[in-house]
Amino acid sequence: MNGSTVSIDHVSKRFGDFVALDDICFTIKQGEFFSLLGPSGCGKTTLLRIIAGFDFPDEGAVLFDDKNVEKLPANKRESNTVFQNYALFPHLTVYENVAFPLRLKKVDKKTVDEKVRKYLHLVQLDQHIFKKPNQLSGGQRQRVAIARALINEPKVLLLDEPLSALDAKLRSSLLLDLDALHDKIGITFIFVTHDQSEALAVSDRIAVMNAGHVLQIGTPFEIYESPATQFVAQFIGETNLFESSVVECVPHQTPGKDPDFMVTLNTPALGLQAQLKGDTQATKEEDKNILVTDYEHTDVGQKVCFTIRPEKIRITLEEPDVHGRKDINVFKGVVEEPVYTGFQSKFYVRLENGSIIKVFKQHVNYLDDGPEIQWKDTVYVSWSAEDGYIVEDIDK
Protein backbone atom coordinates (compact mmCIF):
# COMPACT_ATOMS: atom_id res chain seq x y z
CA MET A 1 0.00 0.00 0.00
CA ASN A 2 1.09 3.54 -0.71
CA GLY A 3 -0.27 6.63 0.97
CA SER A 4 -1.74 9.68 -0.69
CA THR A 5 -0.82 13.32 -0.35
CA VAL A 6 -3.81 15.15 1.12
CA SER A 7 -4.22 18.87 0.43
CA ILE A 8 -6.66 21.09 2.30
CA ASP A 9 -7.26 24.01 -0.06
CA HIS A 10 -8.82 27.05 1.68
CA VAL A 11 -11.56 25.03 3.36
CA SER A 12 -14.26 26.84 5.35
CA LYS A 13 -17.32 25.37 7.08
CA ARG A 14 -20.18 27.06 8.94
CA PHE A 15 -23.09 25.70 10.95
CA GLY A 16 -25.54 28.59 10.99
CA ASP A 17 -23.70 31.56 12.47
CA PHE A 18 -20.97 29.33 13.94
CA VAL A 19 -17.72 29.23 11.95
CA ALA A 20 -16.30 25.73 12.47
CA LEU A 21 -13.43 26.13 9.97
CA ASP A 22 -12.08 29.42 8.67
CA ASP A 23 -9.98 29.24 5.48
CA ILE A 24 -7.89 26.17 6.40
CA CYS A 25 -5.02 25.55 4.01
CA PHE A 26 -2.15 23.01 4.32
CA THR A 27 -0.81 19.78 2.81
CA ILE A 28 -0.28 16.39 4.46
CA LYS A 29 2.60 14.49 2.88
CA GLN A 30 2.34 11.01 1.41
CA GLY A 31 2.85 8.33 4.08
CA GLU A 32 2.94 10.87 6.91
CA PHE A 33 1.58 10.31 10.43
CA PHE A 34 -0.16 13.67 10.78
CA SER A 35 -2.13 14.80 13.84
CA LEU A 36 -4.90 17.37 14.17
CA LEU A 37 -4.57 18.56 17.76
CA GLY A 38 -6.73 20.97 19.71
CA PRO A 39 -9.39 21.38 22.40
CA SER A 40 -13.01 20.29 22.03
CA GLY A 41 -14.87 22.45 19.53
CA CYS A 42 -11.75 23.66 17.70
CA GLY A 43 -12.83 22.16 14.34
CA LYS A 44 -10.52 19.15 14.10
CA THR A 45 -13.27 16.51 13.83
CA THR A 46 -15.20 18.67 11.35
CA LEU A 47 -12.07 18.85 9.19
CA LEU A 48 -11.58 15.07 9.44
CA ARG A 49 -15.20 14.46 8.40
CA ILE A 50 -14.69 16.75 5.39
CA ILE A 51 -11.56 14.81 4.40
CA ALA A 52 -13.51 11.55 4.82
CA GLY A 53 -16.46 12.76 2.75
CA PHE A 54 -19.07 12.64 5.55
CA ASP A 55 -19.41 16.45 5.40
CA PHE A 56 -18.72 18.92 2.62
CA PRO A 57 -17.05 22.34 2.86
CA ASP A 58 -18.92 25.58 2.21
CA GLU A 59 -15.79 26.86 0.49
CA GLY A 60 -12.54 25.32 -0.69
CA ALA A 61 -11.62 21.79 -1.69
CA VAL A 62 -9.92 18.58 -0.53
CA LEU A 63 -7.42 16.94 -2.87
CA PHE A 64 -5.97 13.43 -2.77
CA ASP A 65 -2.78 13.39 -4.89
CA ASP A 66 -3.87 16.64 -6.58
CA LYS A 67 -7.27 15.15 -7.50
CA ASN A 68 -10.24 17.13 -6.19
CA VAL A 69 -12.43 14.70 -4.21
CA GLU A 70 -14.84 17.33 -2.92
CA LYS A 71 -17.85 15.88 -4.79
CA LEU A 72 -17.03 12.23 -4.02
CA PRO A 73 -19.01 10.50 -1.23
CA ALA A 74 -17.13 8.70 1.52
CA ASN A 75 -17.37 5.24 -0.07
CA LYS A 76 -15.77 6.51 -3.29
CA ARG A 77 -12.69 8.03 -1.67
CA GLU A 78 -9.46 6.13 -1.08
CA SER A 79 -9.79 6.59 2.67
CA ASN A 80 -11.33 4.76 5.62
CA THR A 81 -12.19 6.00 9.10
CA VAL A 82 -11.69 4.52 12.57
CA PHE A 83 -14.16 5.99 15.09
CA GLN A 84 -13.74 6.37 18.83
CA ASN A 85 -16.81 4.19 19.57
CA TYR A 86 -15.51 1.29 17.37
CA ALA A 87 -18.81 1.00 15.36
CA LEU A 88 -18.62 -2.81 15.30
CA PHE A 89 -21.58 -5.12 14.61
CA PRO A 90 -22.26 -6.80 17.99
CA HIS A 91 -23.93 -9.87 16.45
CA LEU A 92 -20.99 -10.64 14.13
CA THR A 93 -17.71 -12.35 15.01
CA VAL A 94 -14.38 -10.57 14.75
CA TYR A 95 -13.83 -12.40 11.46
CA GLU A 96 -17.15 -11.25 9.98
CA ASN A 97 -16.76 -7.67 11.22
CA VAL A 98 -13.45 -7.38 9.40
CA ALA A 99 -14.76 -9.22 6.33
CA PHE A 100 -17.84 -6.99 6.04
CA PRO A 101 -16.39 -4.36 3.62
CA LEU A 102 -15.24 -7.12 1.26
CA ARG A 103 -18.59 -8.92 1.47
CA LEU A 104 -20.25 -5.69 0.27
CA LYS A 105 -17.94 -5.70 -2.74
CA LYS A 106 -18.77 -9.36 -3.42
CA VAL A 107 -15.11 -10.37 -3.23
CA ASP A 108 -14.56 -14.12 -3.65
CA LYS A 109 -14.48 -16.28 -0.53
CA LYS A 110 -10.81 -17.28 -0.81
CA THR A 111 -9.62 -13.67 -1.12
CA VAL A 112 -11.82 -12.61 1.81
CA ASP A 113 -10.35 -15.33 4.01
CA GLU A 114 -6.76 -14.48 3.06
CA LYS A 115 -7.21 -10.76 3.67
CA VAL A 116 -9.14 -11.11 6.94
CA ARG A 117 -6.47 -13.36 8.40
CA LYS A 118 -3.71 -11.06 7.09
CA TYR A 119 -5.11 -7.94 8.74
CA LEU A 120 -6.10 -9.64 11.97
CA HIS A 121 -2.53 -10.88 12.19
CA LEU A 122 -1.31 -7.36 11.52
CA VAL A 123 -3.24 -6.08 14.56
CA GLN A 124 -2.29 -9.14 16.64
CA LEU A 125 -5.77 -10.66 16.98
CA ASP A 126 -5.16 -14.11 15.46
CA GLN A 127 -6.32 -15.81 18.68
CA HIS A 128 -9.63 -13.93 18.85
CA ILE A 129 -10.86 -14.45 15.31
CA PHE A 130 -14.19 -16.13 16.16
CA LYS A 131 -15.11 -14.13 19.26
CA LYS A 132 -17.92 -11.58 19.41
CA PRO A 133 -17.11 -7.92 20.24
CA ASN A 134 -18.56 -8.24 23.77
CA GLN A 135 -15.93 -10.90 24.51
CA LEU A 136 -13.08 -8.49 23.79
CA SER A 137 -11.43 -5.71 25.76
CA GLY A 138 -11.76 -2.10 24.63
CA GLY A 139 -8.29 -2.17 23.10
CA GLN A 140 -9.04 -5.39 21.23
CA ARG A 141 -12.30 -3.96 19.85
CA GLN A 142 -10.41 -0.93 18.59
CA ARG A 143 -7.91 -3.24 16.86
CA VAL A 144 -10.82 -4.95 15.10
CA ALA A 145 -12.05 -1.55 13.91
CA ILE A 146 -8.56 -0.72 12.61
CA ALA A 147 -8.29 -4.07 10.77
CA ARG A 148 -11.72 -3.51 9.18
CA ALA A 149 -10.66 -0.02 8.06
CA LEU A 150 -7.43 -1.35 6.55
CA ILE A 151 -8.86 -4.34 4.70
CA ASN A 152 -10.03 -2.12 1.83
CA GLU A 153 -6.39 -1.06 1.49
CA PRO A 154 -7.05 2.70 1.62
CA LYS A 155 -4.35 5.24 0.86
CA VAL A 156 -5.44 7.37 3.84
CA LEU A 157 -6.48 6.12 7.28
CA LEU A 158 -8.49 8.63 9.32
CA LEU A 159 -8.51 8.14 13.09
CA ASP A 160 -11.11 10.13 15.03
CA GLU A 161 -9.92 10.10 18.66
CA PRO A 162 -9.65 6.29 18.52
CA LEU A 163 -8.12 5.98 22.00
CA SER A 164 -10.37 8.30 24.02
CA ALA A 165 -12.64 5.51 25.32
CA LEU A 166 -9.71 3.52 26.74
CA ASP A 167 -8.01 3.77 30.13
CA ALA A 168 -4.65 5.56 30.36
CA LYS A 169 -2.43 2.46 30.39
CA LEU A 170 -4.24 0.83 27.47
CA ARG A 171 -4.15 4.11 25.52
CA SER A 172 -0.39 4.25 25.88
CA SER A 173 0.02 0.65 24.69
CA LEU A 174 -2.31 0.98 21.69
CA LEU A 175 -0.69 4.27 20.71
CA LEU A 176 2.65 2.50 20.30
CA ASP A 177 0.90 -0.23 18.31
CA LEU A 178 -0.59 2.41 16.00
CA ASP A 179 2.85 3.90 15.42
CA ALA A 180 4.33 0.47 14.66
CA LEU A 181 1.41 -0.33 12.33
CA HIS A 182 1.99 2.93 10.44
CA ASP A 183 5.65 2.01 9.96
CA LYS A 184 4.66 -1.41 8.57
CA ILE A 185 2.02 -0.39 6.04
CA GLY A 186 3.30 3.06 5.05
CA ILE A 187 -0.01 4.75 4.22
CA THR A 188 -1.01 8.25 5.29
CA PHE A 189 -2.43 8.44 8.83
CA ILE A 190 -4.50 11.47 9.90
CA PHE A 191 -5.02 11.31 13.65
CA VAL A 192 -7.46 13.54 15.56
CA THR A 193 -6.80 14.01 19.27
CA HIS A 194 -7.18 16.54 22.08
CA ASP A 195 -4.34 14.87 24.01
CA GLN A 196 -1.04 16.68 23.33
CA SER A 197 1.06 13.82 24.77
CA GLU A 198 -0.46 11.39 22.22
CA ALA A 199 0.25 13.75 19.32
CA LEU A 200 3.81 14.45 20.45
CA ALA A 201 4.55 10.73 20.86
CA VAL A 202 3.67 9.44 17.39
CA SER A 203 3.33 12.29 14.88
CA ASP A 204 5.65 13.21 12.06
CA ARG A 205 3.95 16.61 12.09
CA ILE A 206 1.15 18.25 14.08
CA ALA A 207 -1.39 20.93 13.21
CA VAL A 208 -2.48 22.76 16.37
CA MET A 209 -6.02 24.08 15.98
CA ASN A 210 -8.21 26.47 17.94
CA ALA A 211 -11.52 28.19 17.15
CA GLY A 212 -11.57 27.01 13.54
CA HIS A 213 -8.00 28.11 12.73
CA VAL A 214 -4.70 26.29 12.31
CA LEU A 215 -2.29 28.16 14.57
CA GLN A 216 0.91 26.22 13.84
CA ILE A 217 2.11 23.20 11.86
CA GLY A 218 5.42 21.56 12.68
CA THR A 219 7.25 18.54 14.05
CA PRO A 220 6.63 17.64 17.70
CA PHE A 221 10.01 19.22 18.54
CA GLU A 222 9.15 22.46 16.73
CA ILE A 223 5.69 22.69 18.30
CA TYR A 224 7.01 22.09 21.82
CA GLU A 225 10.26 24.04 21.72
CA SER A 226 9.21 26.91 19.41
CA PRO A 227 5.50 27.64 19.88
CA ALA A 228 4.18 30.22 17.43
CA THR A 229 1.46 31.70 19.63
CA GLN A 230 0.51 32.10 23.25
CA PHE A 231 -2.22 29.46 22.86
CA VAL A 232 0.20 26.88 21.43
CA ALA A 233 2.73 27.54 24.22
CA GLN A 234 0.07 26.97 26.89
CA PHE A 235 -1.77 24.08 25.22
CA ILE A 236 1.31 21.96 24.47
CA GLY A 237 2.74 20.75 27.76
CA GLU A 238 3.13 23.11 30.71
CA THR A 239 4.91 26.42 30.56
CA ASN A 240 5.48 29.75 32.27
CA LEU A 241 4.22 32.65 30.18
CA PHE A 242 4.74 36.38 30.81
CA GLU A 243 3.88 39.50 28.85
CA SER A 244 6.99 41.52 28.05
CA SER A 245 8.30 44.36 25.95
CA VAL A 246 11.56 44.46 23.97
CA VAL A 247 14.26 46.70 25.45
CA GLU A 248 17.16 45.74 23.20
CA CYS A 249 17.91 43.32 20.36
CA VAL A 250 21.53 42.81 19.32
CA PRO A 251 23.30 40.22 17.09
CA HIS A 252 24.68 37.30 19.08
CA GLN A 253 26.89 34.34 18.21
CA THR A 254 27.06 31.15 20.28
CA PRO A 255 30.06 28.97 19.35
CA GLY A 256 28.98 26.03 17.19
CA LYS A 257 25.50 27.44 16.52
CA ASP A 258 23.85 29.61 13.88
CA PRO A 259 23.93 33.37 14.46
CA ASP A 260 20.98 34.70 16.42
CA PHE A 261 19.97 37.71 18.52
CA MET A 262 20.31 38.40 22.23
CA VAL A 263 17.06 40.07 23.23
CA THR A 264 16.58 42.00 26.46
CA LEU A 265 12.98 41.92 27.69
CA ASN A 266 11.27 44.02 30.31
CA THR A 267 9.04 41.55 32.17
CA PRO A 268 7.34 43.23 35.13
CA ALA A 269 5.56 40.04 36.26
CA LEU A 270 8.91 38.44 37.13
CA GLY A 271 9.89 41.28 39.47
CA LEU A 272 13.50 41.94 40.39
CA GLN A 273 16.33 39.62 39.45
CA ALA A 274 18.30 38.31 42.41
CA GLN A 275 21.48 40.22 43.25
CA LEU A 276 24.27 37.66 43.19
CA LYS A 277 27.46 37.96 45.20
CA GLY A 278 29.87 40.39 43.59
CA ASP A 279 27.23 42.02 41.40
CA THR A 280 26.86 45.76 41.46
CA GLN A 281 23.47 47.15 42.41
CA ALA A 282 21.37 47.81 39.30
CA THR A 283 18.34 50.00 39.01
CA LYS A 284 14.92 48.43 39.56
CA GLU A 285 14.00 48.97 35.92
CA GLU A 286 17.14 47.16 34.81
CA ASP A 287 16.51 44.36 37.29
CA LYS A 288 13.16 43.60 35.65
CA ASN A 289 14.94 42.81 32.39
CA ILE A 290 15.62 39.25 31.32
CA LEU A 291 17.69 37.87 28.46
CA VAL A 292 16.53 35.45 25.77
CA THR A 293 18.03 34.40 22.45
CA ASP A 294 15.88 34.49 19.31
CA TYR A 295 16.50 33.64 15.65
CA GLU A 296 14.61 36.69 14.38
CA HIS A 297 15.19 40.38 14.92
CA THR A 298 12.63 41.91 17.26
CA ASP A 299 11.86 45.63 17.32
CA VAL A 300 12.53 47.69 20.44
CA GLY A 301 9.25 48.48 22.19
CA GLN A 302 7.43 45.52 20.61
CA LYS A 303 4.96 43.74 22.91
CA VAL A 304 5.63 40.01 23.06
CA CYS A 305 5.14 37.01 25.30
CA PHE A 306 8.07 35.29 26.94
CA THR A 307 7.79 31.59 27.71
CA ILE A 308 10.06 29.25 29.66
CA ARG A 309 9.29 25.55 30.18
CA PRO A 310 9.33 24.44 33.85
CA GLU A 311 11.86 21.66 33.17
CA LYS A 312 14.34 24.20 31.75
CA ILE A 313 14.53 26.05 35.07
CA ARG A 314 17.04 25.12 37.77
CA ILE A 315 15.99 25.40 41.41
CA THR A 316 18.57 25.57 44.22
CA LEU A 317 18.75 26.43 47.90
CA GLU A 318 22.05 28.24 47.38
CA GLU A 319 22.82 31.13 45.08
CA PRO A 320 23.86 29.67 41.72
CA ASP A 321 27.46 30.25 40.64
CA VAL A 322 27.10 31.74 37.17
CA HIS A 323 30.87 32.13 36.62
CA GLY A 324 30.48 35.71 35.45
CA ARG A 325 28.02 34.76 32.69
CA LYS A 326 25.63 37.51 31.70
CA ASP A 327 23.11 35.24 29.93
CA ILE A 328 21.78 33.53 33.06
CA ASN A 329 18.51 34.81 34.50
CA VAL A 330 18.26 34.41 38.29
CA PHE A 331 15.32 35.13 40.61
CA LYS A 332 14.79 34.61 44.32
CA GLY A 333 11.59 33.26 45.81
CA VAL A 334 9.86 30.99 48.31
CA VAL A 335 8.45 27.51 47.64
CA GLU A 336 4.69 27.96 47.78
CA GLU A 337 3.79 24.37 46.92
CA PRO A 338 5.99 21.30 46.34
CA VAL A 339 4.30 18.41 44.48
CA TYR A 340 6.01 14.99 44.37
CA THR A 341 4.99 12.93 41.30
CA GLY A 342 7.49 10.06 41.46
CA PHE A 343 9.84 10.67 38.55
CA GLN A 344 9.92 14.41 39.24
CA SER A 345 8.90 17.09 41.70
CA LYS A 346 6.94 20.18 40.72
CA PHE A 347 7.61 23.39 42.61
CA TYR A 348 5.40 26.47 42.56
CA VAL A 349 7.72 29.27 43.60
CA ARG A 350 6.42 32.69 44.64
CA LEU A 351 8.90 35.31 43.51
CA GLU A 352 9.67 38.42 45.53
CA ASN A 353 7.05 40.48 43.68
CA GLY A 354 4.32 37.89 44.30
CA SER A 355 4.23 36.15 40.89
CA ILE A 356 4.25 32.34 40.73
CA ILE A 357 6.68 30.41 38.52
CA LYS A 358 6.55 26.63 37.93
CA VAL A 359 9.73 24.55 38.13
CA PHE A 360 10.07 20.80 37.41
CA LYS A 361 13.00 18.95 38.98
CA GLN A 362 13.75 15.53 37.51
CA HIS A 363 14.70 12.73 39.91
CA VAL A 364 17.69 11.34 38.04
CA ASN A 365 19.69 9.72 40.82
CA TYR A 366 18.62 9.50 44.46
CA LEU A 367 22.14 9.72 45.85
CA ASP A 368 23.09 12.72 43.74
CA ASP A 369 19.84 14.61 44.19
CA GLY A 370 21.23 16.96 46.81
CA PRO A 371 19.33 18.56 49.71
CA GLU A 372 15.58 18.15 49.57
CA ILE A 373 13.69 21.35 48.83
CA GLN A 374 10.62 21.73 51.00
CA TRP A 375 7.60 23.96 51.54
CA LYS A 376 8.43 27.56 52.50
CA ASP A 377 12.15 27.17 51.66
CA THR A 378 13.85 30.23 50.21
CA VAL A 379 15.19 29.22 46.79
CA TYR A 380 16.81 30.55 43.64
CA VAL A 381 15.42 29.80 40.20
CA SER A 382 17.65 30.27 37.16
CA TRP A 383 17.77 29.55 33.45
CA SER A 384 19.89 30.25 30.40
CA ALA A 385 18.85 32.85 27.83
CA GLU A 386 18.89 30.00 25.26
CA ASP A 387 16.13 28.10 27.06
CA GLY A 388 13.48 30.81 26.94
CA TYR A 389 11.41 31.61 23.86
CA ILE A 390 9.70 34.70 22.50
CA VAL A 391 6.10 34.34 21.32
CA GLU A 392 5.44 37.32 19.13
CA ASP A 393 1.69 36.81 18.66
CA ILE A 394 -0.20 37.58 21.85
CA ASP A 395 -3.57 35.83 21.55
CA LYS A 396 -6.52 37.85 22.71
Side-chain angles (χ1 to χ4, degrees), residues 13-81:
K13 180 70 176 178
R14 299 172 189 83
F15 297 98
D17 293 333
F18 177 69
V19 180
L21 298 171
D22 188 5
D23 195 29
I24 304 297
C25 192
F26 61 87
T27 296
I28 299 168
K29 301 172 187 174
Q30 180 183 23
E32 193 169 30
F33 198 128
F34 191 93
S35 291
L36 301 174
L37 173 66
S40 297
C42 72
K44 57 188 186 295
T45 295
T46 299
L47 181 55
L48 192 81
R49 289 179 59 84
I50 287 173
I51 296 171
F54 300 130
D55 287 327
F56 298 92
D58 297 324
E59 299 167 17
V62 174
L63 295 87
F64 283 19
D65 294 327
D66 297 324
K67 177 185 176 183
N68 191 339
V69 297
E70 179 192 352
K71 302 299 182 183
L72 294 179
N75 64 331
K76 298 295 183 182
R77 301 189 183 189
E78 293 185 298
S79 63
N80 267 347
T81 305

Side-chain angles (χ1 to χ4, degrees), residues 112-130:
V112 168
D113 188 66
E114 288 175 353
K115 286 197 170 186
V116 168
R117 293 180 184 277
K118 171 186 174 181
Y119 285 102
L120 285 176
H121 178 72
L122 197 63
V123 296
Q124 302 171 42
L125 285 177
D126 309 70
Q127 305 303 313
H128 306 279
I129 194 166
F130 296 118

Side-chain angles (χ1 to χ4, degrees), residues 50-243:
I50 287 173
I51 296 171
F54 300 130
D55 287 327
F56 298 92
D58 297 324
E59 299 167 17
V62 174
L63 295 87
F64 283 19
D65 294 327
D66 297 324
K67 177 185 176 183
N68 191 339
V69 297
E70 179 192 352
K71 302 299 182 183
L72 294 179
N75 64 331
K76 298 295 183 182
R77 301 189 183 189
E78 293 185 298
S79 63
N80 267 347
T81 305
V82 177
F83 302 97
Q84 66 184 65
N85 62 354
Y86 320 131
L88 301 178
F89 298 109
H91 62 290
L92 298 182
T93 63
V94 168
Y95 184 102
E96 288 302 329
N97 264 284
V98 176
F100 184 77
L102 299 184
R103 302 274 195 224
L104 286 179
K105 293 181 177 181
K106 302 189 184 305
V107 175
D108 67 89
K109 192 172 182 179
K110 180 181 178 184
T111 302
V112 168
D113 188 66
E114 288 175 353
K115 286 197 170 186
V116 168
R117 293 180 184 277
K118 171 186 174 181
Y119 285 102
L120 285 176
H121 178 72
L122 197 63
V123 296
Q124 302 171 42
L125 285 177
D126 309 70
Q127 305 303 313
H128 306 279
I129 194 166
F130 296 118
K131 291 182 179 179
K132 296 285 184 67
N134 65 0
Q135 296 175 289
L136 304 176
S137 68
Q140 289 169 336
R141 289 197 292 272
Q142 194 57 280
R143 289 170 192 262
V144 176
I146 291 169
R148 184 179 61 185
L150 290 174
I151 202 165
N152 274 330
E153 299 186 346
K155 291 187 175 181
V156 180
L157 183 66
L158 307 170
L159 301 125
D160 186 12
E161 304 221 35
L163 311 181
S164 61
L166 308 177
D167 63 67
K169 196 167 185 180
L170 193 53
R171 272 202 313 272
S172 179
S173 174
L174 192 53
L175 188 67
L176 293 176
D177 291 340
L178 269 179
D179 194 26
L181 184 63
H182 174 258
D183 292 340
K184 284 181 183 177
I185 62 179
I187 66 172
T188 306
F189 276 30
I190 304 177
F191 180 63
V192 162
T193 182
H194 64 273
D195 188 319
Q196 49 91 14
S197 62
E198 289 181 359
L200 291 173
V202 296
S203 306
D204 295 314
R205 286 190 303 152
I206 299 168
V208 182
M209 299 182 65
N210 190 40
H213 294 88
V214 172
L215 303 182
Q216 184 175 0
I217 296 176
T219 65
F221 180 85
E222 290 166 345
I223 295 289
Y224 187 84
E225 296 290 349
S226 306
T229 72
Q230 180 177 338
F231 176 87
V232 175
Q234 291 176 306
F235 188 74
I236 305 296
E238 294 190 55
T239 197
N240 297 286
L241 196 68
F242 306 100
E243 292 192 4

